[in-house]
Amino acid sequence: MPKTLEDIATHLGSGPFLGMDWGKRRVGLAISDADNQVAMPLCVVDAGGALRTTLITLWEERKIKALVMGWPLHADYGKESDLCPAISRLGHRLVDDHGWPICFWDERFSSQAVLHFPQKKGTELHHHAAAFILQGALHRWQHLRSLIGT
């Protein structure tokens, strides 16, 4: 079962985290530095089988410590969007199959926040949204780590 960020902060030391912005057709991925200070856009992959393969490859090659999955809530009233069940299924499958530390992070306004980034026409923004999501979680993770004294 996916964990809370509090659980991850209690049990994990530093090491790169992976962030995810789920879309119906494409998924943006971002990665943190080894000290969990800065999130950087990484890539955009098609949703489906390619995503799972990409996640497994990145986890192994980059020695990822945790996955932060954007949790899309409606901006006006905070209810889960229609994407939440699919994101939840993927998170549970990854935990069950691989035992990865995974948490969900409120991604409200992440896409709107990156719409104003300079970009080339037609460029995907999902990986920038993933970095925005991951950066928020990293700030909270750092705060939690300071509270528990590690």
Side-chain angles (χ1 to χ4, degrees), residues 110-119 125:
S110 61
S111 295
Q112 291 82 1
V114 301
L115 284 177
H116 304 289
F117 286 11
Q119 62 175 326
L125 289 175

Side-chain angles (χ1 to χ4, degrees), residues 79-114:
K79 288 184 99 174
E80 294 178 356
S81 79
D82 60 341
L83 294 176
C84 288
I87 294 167
S88 179
R89 279 192 302 275
L90 175 61
H92 280 87
R93 275 198 331 257
L94 292 171
V95 170
D96 291 345
D97 293 352
H98 305 285
W100 295 349
I102 293 174
C103 69
F104 300 123
W105 187 257
D106 182 351
E107 70 168 42
R108 280 181 280 189
F109 307 113
S110 61
S111 295
Q112 291 82 1
V114 301

